[in-house]
Amino acid sequence: MKITDMPLLQLSEAMAQGHLSSREITQAFIDRIREAEAQVGAYISIGEGEALRQADARDAARASGSPCGPLHGIPAAVKDNICVAGGRTTCASRMLEDFVSPCSAGVWERLERAGCVLLGKTNMDEFAMGSTTENSAFHPTCNPHDLTRVPGGSSGGSAAAVAAGEAAFALGSDTGGSIRQPAAFCGVVGMKPTYGTVSRYGLVAFASSLDQIGPMTRTVADNALVLDAIAGHDPRDTTSLQRTYQPFGRRIGQEVRGLCIGLPKEMFADGLSEDVRKTVMHAAQVLEGLGAQVTEVSLPSLKHALPAYYVMSSAEASSNLARFDGVRYGRRAAEYADLDELYVKSRSEGFGAEVKRRILLGTYALSAGYYDAYYKKALQVRTLVIRDFARVFGAVDCLLAPVAPTTAWRLGEKRDDPLAAYLQDVHSVPANIAGIPSLAMPCGRDRAGMPVGVQLMGAAFSEPLLYQVGHVLERALAPVREEVTV
Amino acid sequence: MAWKMIDGYEMVIGLEVHVELNTRTKIFCGCPTTFGAAPNTQCCPVCMGYPGTLPVLNREVVHFAVLAGLATNCRIARFSKQDRKNYFYPDLPKAYQISQFDLPLCADGFLTVTAEAGEKRIGVTRIHIEEDAGKLIHDAEKGTLIDCNRCGVPLIEIVSEPDIRTPQEAAAYLRKLRAIMRYAGVSDCRMQEGSFRCDVNLSIRRPGEPLGTRTEMKNLNSFVSVQKAIEQEYLRQVEAMRAGEEIVQETRRFDQASGKTFSMRRKENAHDYRYFPEPDLAPIVLTDAQIDAWRAALPRLPDERKAEYLTRYGLTQYAAEQLVAERATADYFEEAVQHTHAPQTLANLMTAEVFRLMEGEEAAIPIPGPHLARIADMANDGEINNNSAKAVIAEIWQTGEAPDECVNRLGVRQLSDPEALRAFVTRAVEENPKMVAQYYGGKTTTKRALMGAAMRMTGGMANPAVLMQLMDEALDGAKEEC
């Protein structure tokens, strides 16, 4: 098996046994990047020299007898809205094109302590706003399964890198589906953890109450391993929970017999493509065949979830992105006559169209006279969504649903209709609103051969259960990855 | 000069005071809060609003804010939250200030002030916590420079009810508030360092009518400026009413040099801050037990101490007020008073001489309390006279001697022995027959002159009380003999 196809545990074992070194593994991924990147475009910045230097250091540490966990020496890609000190963190925006963060994100510090090697920073929709990675200010990323199609977004670069074998695993961020939807489109596994599980310190904020960083991997077991490394309290992030976690993969290998799985009726309504419906339902039937009880449930508040999401996330984003004013860091306009011009020009030049759209939307939703009707209303919808989920999780162990209404569409296809793009998020935003975990994984292909994803949602802190069910499904379904075109 | 109403318009004033809390570190990060550091040496990615950074609330800030609320009789919220106040300005790194909007930490308090009309209660509407912004420095060559040291310094904003009716009341409120904050130990309240800032809201109306349109005045650097600005703005608004003009709701800047206020007419006037709850921070939840513990640790405040000084030590209003103006002074008095049987004399010596010698109200008193107490006793018992007492205080302020040593060294121990003094009285009478004759002729004031003569003969060392008694005996006793 090619090094770049191996699951994490296999790579780790090989290093432990001395069959492979971190340097060899890292070089293999660098070679693969060189081979595929021109077509896929998953990365914004790649640090070959630095990666090999880190790999050598990991090998030396292992040789000197330091304790090595399962991620020691493993090369990873990190979405470019997660700060790594010393290199650029651009958020795929002209605003931060040359920005070098003075500090590293909590998650990167943890991965570094776990012995990972950084291959590079991956492409994304600008400031995480978008569902195709076409909103990147630099270049689009292509879906490795069909280079004429989008990889999804906003973590499209991370998803494509994992799908194309350009990284052993990647970190993405999910505010309204930005890990899960590209995972589904690219046929990889992506987890959005319970809100508060993973530190947001060093994640350039989009919507503070919704953002979470999560792993994107080839397999379910790999995903649990990475989550083990990045989860945990960070005193620099007040919203990170003061909890210690047992290994997230501890229930992998257990059966699904006796578990109760709910299908939210509101997520199987009109607008769902036939291929997606069929493939996702097939996944449910597979689980049923293995002894799980599958039942329909209803969450009536879900019909308001999407507009509430767009109001909340845009409002928070309009505030979070206000700090990009050209004064202390980031892009400043070359010429300006006064303070107002400094602000207006820097921000007009620095931000792309979608970012501007969301800032305007969010500012409007918070403005005097509209706060009650929009933002406050959205917060109230949030409470209803939380209650609906709590109610159904009293009756079922987890929920199974599509990740997106369709599979990956062609590059350029939905550029003229932002609202149509927004409507794509209808299945993914509820988990963000309620703060519950959701695992996206491949469950088949559509008639064009494009991957279809399914998501498993559970109550807060139910990641181990989701991994358990996901692993069973993964074993039972035919693997999707082997036919990447690149 | 007492302020006078014109055309029957009363002034309605509310004061907003921002107090910098002297916590060890800033409100949302670990940077120090020390005043006067070189620019941009006390800041970090968090208080500079770098991408990916997050605020973490400093618990000491909540503690100090609650102390401020308890010291002003506020209700302390068991549940409060922080909110974002959004606006663009170069001294605001995140382009929002984390403050408190609708659920402040403290509300519905009051403090008592003494002004011309006597004692009056001024309401404290609310006290909330927020972060300070940086400083803009205007350089002729380089343009506008930003110093981020002050970004994230913790503030409490104390808003009064519009209960203030005269400039003197305003000054009295500010003095009292400042003293209370210093007593509570939450701030040094140095107006010149910016740790105590006052904005004035003022409107006028005929009593009984609804509130008029108010203007806001900023950039008031001293209590005197506050009074001046109030007087000026009142006049301006009265003139406007006379001319039939409308009062425009606006912010006005007080100009120190001219003593006038000028309209700021900036976009700041029409701001929509788009407040919403801060999603990066948890609500602030306080328990009764926590608040009770903090309350128990509050020092006794000025009003309570003043009342005690009046009843227990019989001090005058004036002396008591002077002593409680600063906590350090009150603490000093309370320690020293335990070592004297003459508390009123002690108080007088403090207000007259000790205050004079102190370089500024925050200076330490280098004389140990018991020593000052001894001097008070000596003065009260006639061992030394008042002038000598002051001289001794001034001496030992420098030398650090014990009072008795100093008195001996200076040789100012009063002559109180009647036998010794009688000789001087007799001599004074014998050497001034004209004055004696005048006295017997009905000019009773001449007795003082004779006293003066006798006193001069003793080199100013006679105990005046004893001398007076002897002079009375000599003159009136002698008269009877005539």
Side-chain angles (χ1 to χ4, degrees):
Chain A
M1 185 187 243
K2 284 200 299 187
I3 288 175
T4 54
D5 288 344
M6 289 182 191
L8 296 179
L9 269 179
Q10 194 174 343
L11 288 170
S12 188
E13 260 301 297
M15 280 189 276
Q17 303 289 337
H19 302 315
L20 284 174
S21 67
S22 174
R23 184 173 185 118
E24 283 173 289
I25 295 170
T26 303
Q27 188 63 59
F29 279 103
I30 288 173
D31 292 341
R32 175 61 180 157
I33 290 171
R34 286 189 185 150
E35 185 182 36
E37 240 324 75
Q39 293 168 286
V40 175
Y43 285 88
I44 288 178
S45 60
I46 301 161
E48 288 188 12
E50 176 58 20
L52 289 170
R53 195 198 61 74
Q54 286 176 17
D56 286 341
R58 306 299 182 239
D59 285 331
R62 188 186 290 272
S64 77
S66 300
C68 296
L71 293 184
H72 189 95
I74 303 281
V78 169
K79 187 177 181 183
D80 209 15
N81 60 355
I82 297 171
C83 292
V84 174
R88 290 183 305 144
T89 298
T90 70
C91 300
S93 177
R94 298 243 171 263
M95 184 63 85
L96 294 179
E97 197 166 358
D98 298 312
F99 174 69
V100 176
S101 173
C103 36
S104 284
V107 292
W108 176 250
E109 287 176 347
R110 281 172 177 268
L111 285 183
E112 203 171 25
R113 270 201 307 271
C116 290
V117 169
L118 180 68
L119 289 165
K121 308 298 281 309
T122 55
N123 202 15
M124 51 184 282
D125 284 300
E126 187 181 359
F127 284 110
M129 299 176 188
S131 316
T132 64
T133 308
E134 289 168 307
N135 290 332
S136 165
F138 306 129
H139 57 81
T141 298
C142 303
N143 193 317
H145 292 270
D146 177 343
L147 296 168
T148 68
R149 292 180 187 265
V150 300
S154 60
S155 311
S158 285
V162 173
E166 293 184 83
F169 74 88
L171 289 187
S173 72
D174 192 313
T175 305
S178 288
I179 286 175
R180 291 164 286 150
Q181 186 253 33
F185 279 17
C186 291
V188 300
V189 179
M191 167 67 90
K192 182 206 82 68
T194 306
Y195 183 84
T197 300
V198 178
S199 168
R200 289 186 301 115
Y201 181 78
L203 169 68
V204 181
F206 161 13
S208 316
S209 72
L210 300 161
D211 294 343
Q212 270 293 274
I213 294 173
M216 304 185 76
T217 57
R218 283 190 289 276
T219 70
V220 171
D222 282 0
N223 205 286
L225 274 180
V226 178
L227 189 58
D228 282 342
I230 61 174
H233 176 63
D234 185 343
R236 298 166 297 187
D237 174 4
T238 306
T239 63
S240 87
L241 299 162
Q242 296 197 4
R243 249 181 112 90
T244 45
Y245 300 91
Q246 301 306 311
F248 288 99
R250 64 188 181 271
R251 291 171 68 151
I252 287 179
Q254 291 182 30
E255 297 179 4
V256 297
R257 185 168 304 281
L259 287 180
C260 194
I261 298 174
L263 304 183
K265 125 173 153 202
E266 290 80 7
M267 292 194 179
F268 288 89
D270 299 335
L272 198 55
S273 98
E274 255 322 291
D275 283 0
V276 170
R277 180 193 302 276
K278 234 177 44 204
T279 322
V280 170
M281 283 310 299
H282 172 68
Q285 284 146 18
V286 163
L287 290 170
E288 204 170 22
L290 290 169
Q293 207 190 332
V294 174
T295 176
E296 188 186 75
V297 296
S298 174
L299 294 95
S301 65
L302 290 188
K303 69 173 168 291
H304 305 297
L306 187 67
Y309 166 80
Y310 270 97
V311 168
M312 260 191 296
S313 63
S314 304
E316 290 178 24
S318 72
S319 179
N320 284 328
L321 267 63
R323 67 189 63 199
F324 301 110
D325 54 13
V327 175
R328 287 162 314 290
Y329 49 75
R331 180 194 207 81
R332 185 192 286 198
E335 282 168 23
Y336 46 90
D338 56 28
L339 181 64
D340 279 350
E341 237 180 69
L342 191 168
Y343 288 152
V344 169
K345 277 187 162 176
S346 302
R347 288 167 68 83
S348 298
E349 290 168 18
F351 290 142
E354 184 59 36
V355 171
K356 287 175 180 161
R357 201 172 286 130
R358 308 253 186 138
I359 291 174
L360 287 170
L361 246 177
T363 308
Y364 182 86
L366 290 174
S367 53
Y370 296 106
Y371 176 89
D372 284 356
Y374 293 109
Y375 190 71
K376 185 169 169 190
K377 214 29 148 246
L379 294 180
Q380 291 169 328
V381 168
R382 170 175 237 155
T383 304
L384 296 179
V385 171
I386 291 172
R387 284 186 193 159
D388 261 355
F389 276 117
R391 179 178 47 78
V392 302
F393 288 133
V396 304
D397 294 300
C398 65
L399 299 171
L400 184 152
V403 176
T406 68
T407 57
W409 52 87
R410 297 206 188 273
L411 287 154
E413 194 178 309
K414 291 202 208 276
R415 293 306 275 153
D416 295 332
D417 194 348
L419 261 189
Y422 293 177
L423 288 169
Q424 291 284 317
D425 294 341
V426 65
H427 298 98
S428 46
V429 303
N432 301 89
I433 292 176
I436 58 172
S438 177
L439 176 70
M441 55 177 291
C443 65
R445 291 176 181 274
D446 70 358
R447 68 196 74 185
M450 292 308 292
V452 176
V454 65
Q455 67 173 321
L456 300 167
M457 290 173 275
F461 313 121
S462 64
E463 287 88 341
L465 172 72
L466 304 181
Y467 284 132
Q468 172 191 351
V469 176
H471 186 258
V472 166
L473 204 53
E474 183 180 66
R475 257 195 337 214
L477 296 173
V480 157
R481 239 206 108 248
E482 81 277 5
E483 280 144 40
V484 160
T485 49
V486 173
Chain B
M1 189 172 65
W3 166 86
K4 285 206 180 74
M5 216 189 258
I6 302 174
D7 285 1
Y9 285 113
E10 68 171 357
M11 55 167 70
V12 177
I13 293 172
L15 296 176
E16 279 171 30
V17 176
H18 286 86
V19 171
E20 276 183 17
L21 300 178
N22 62 354
T23 53
R24 267 177 318 111
T25 61
K26 293 185 178 182
I27 188 173
F28 297 123
C29 66
C31 291
T33 56
T34 348
F35 179 77
N40 294 312
T41 55
Q42 287 180 179
C43 43
C44 72
V46 175
C47 55
M48 291 185 73
Y50 267 63
T53 59
L54 296 168
V56 179
L57 181 60
N58 176 347
R59 259 181 295 198
E60 200 177 24
V61 171
V62 177
H63 178 194
F64 280 24
V66 170
L67 288 181
L70 291 172
T72 51
N73 306 291
C74 290
R75 187 174 40 80
I76 309 300
R78 299 302 189 263
F79 181 95
S80 69
K81 65 171 170 60
Q82 292 167 268
D83 303 283
R84 291 193 188 177
K85 179 178 179 182
N86 299 280
Y87 64 95
F88 286 91
Y89 205 57
D91 65 2
L92 196 64
K94 297 187 295 295
Y96 56 86
Q97 177 197 36
I98 301 178
S99 177
Q100 293 189 288
F101 180 53
D102 55 333
L103 290 179
L105 257 179
C106 319
D108 303 329
F110 63 88
L111 49 92
T112 317
V113 305
T114 312
E116 321 96 317
E119 262 198 12
K120 179 172 173 176
R121 202 179 255 208
I122 311 285
V124 171
T125 316
R126 54 183 277 160
I127 301 179
H128 71 253
I129 58 175
E130 59 185 28
E131 56 179 337
D132 208 346
K135 265 208 200 123
L136 296 183
I137 296 157
H138 303 285
D139 182 283
E141 280 171 43
K142 297 181 198 166
T144 302
L145 307 171
I146 306 167
D147 176 10
C148 292
N149 283 353
R150 211 180 60 180
C151 297
V153 165
L155 299 175
I156 44 173
E157 181 177 324
I158 305 168
V159 182
S160 85
E161 287 287 324
D163 293 341
I164 296 167
R165 292 286 174 274
T166 74
Q168 289 75 16
E169 268 174 38
Y173 172 87
L174 292 173
R175 286 201 177 90
K176 188 51 136 338
L177 187 63
R178 185 175 176 279
I180 289 174
M181 291 302 129
R182 285 172 61 82
Y183 267 72
V186 303
S187 171
D188 53 34
C189 293
R190 295 190 183 139
M191 240 168 148
Q192 68 277 22
E193 284 180 10
S195 54
F196 190 91
R197 302 170 218 161
C198 179
D199 297 337
V200 176
N201 291 303
L202 187 152
S203 63
I204 63 175
R205 67 170 176 192
R206 300 230 161 79
E209 281 180 1
L211 289 171
T213 310
R214 63 176 166 78
T215 59
E216 184 186 16
M217 287 182 286
K218 288 170 131 42
N219 196 44
L220 303 164
N221 296 330
S222 64
F223 295 164
V224 169
S225 297
V226 168
Q227 278 189 250
K228 272 217 189 92
I230 290 172
E231 284 159 10
Q232 280 301 308
E233 182 58 14
Y234 173 78
L235 287 175
R236 190 191 70 85
Q237 288 196 14
V238 167
E239 280 308 310
M241 295 299 268
R242 277 179 174 169
E245 287 163 19
E246 254 188 56
I247 311 290
V248 174
Q249 182 171 350
E250 60 181 354
T251 303
R252 299 180 70 84
R253 194 180 163 282
F254 179 73
D255 179 54
Q256 197 76 28
S258 65
K260 290 201 179 317
T261 63
F262 295 92
S263 175
M264 285 171 101
R265 288 199 203 292
R266 278 199 347 236
K267 277 191 209 156
E268 243 196 55
N269 286 336
H271 248 288
D272 172 13
Y273 294 112
R274 301 189 300 284
Y275 284 98
F276 70 99
E278 171 57 77
D280 289 330
L281 293 171
I284 301 169
V285 177
L286 296 172
T287 61
D288 289 354
Q290 179 64 276
I291 295 172
D292 288 342
W294 285 339
R295 183 186 284 116
L298 255 185
R300 285 155 52 250
L301 297 173
D303 285 353
E304 190 188 330
R305 298 199 198 200
K306 179 180 157 186
E308 188 192 337
Y309 298 175
L310 294 178
T311 55
R312 184 166 167 192
Y313 303 118
L315 300 193
T316 60
Q317 288 268 357
Y318 172 80
E321 250 163 58
Q322 289 288 302
L323 290 173
V324 301
E326 284 290 325
R327 178 181 164 185
T329 328
D331 285 346
Y332 181 93
F333 172 75
E334 285 169 25
E335 207 262 305
V337 82
Q338 294 173 46
H339 300 276
T340 179
H341 53 259
Q344 290 158 23
T345 311
L346 175 68
N348 291 338
L349 287 174
M350 284 187 69
T351 58
E353 193 60 12
V354 171
F355 281 14
R356 186 184 71 78
L357 291 166
M358 281 167 73
E359 282 155 16
E361 57 206 354
E362 295 186 26
I365 301 172
I367 304 177
H371 286 190
L372 195 67
R374 172 80 187 115
I375 297 175
D377 283 345
M378 286 196 276
N380 181 70
D381 301 344
E383 282 182 54
I384 58 179
N385 65 29
N386 266 330
N387 286 339
S388 301
K390 292 180 186 173
V392 168
I393 291 173
E395 266 302 296
I396 68 180
W397 195 276
Q398 305 292 335
T399 64
E401 292 164 284
D404 282 87
E405 278 172 39
C406 184
V407 165
N408 293 337
R409 182 170 66 75
L410 296 180
V412 293
R413 207 169 288 277
Q414 257 183 177
L415 223 45
S416 298
D417 175 26
E419 293 315 310
L421 286 178
R422 188 162 294 140
F424 290 103
V425 167
T426 310
R427 236 182 82 194
V429 166
E430 282 173 1
E431 291 179 14
N432 293 284
K434 273 205 188 116
M435 282 196 226
V436 174
Q438 279 174 337
Y439 177 75
Y440 288 136
K443 197 171 175 192
T444 50
T445 52
T446 330
K447 188 192 284 190
R448 284 204 191 287
L450 286 163
M451 274 272 298
M455 180 66 85
R456 275 192 296 280
M457 287 174 191
T458 68
M461 299 316 301
N463 180 327
V466 177
L467 195 70
M468 178 60 94
Q469 202 185 333
L470 293 170
M471 184 62 74
D472 283 344
E473 282 175 28
L475 290 175
D476 301 329
K479 188 175 182 223
E480 284 174 16
E481 286 169 15
C482 262

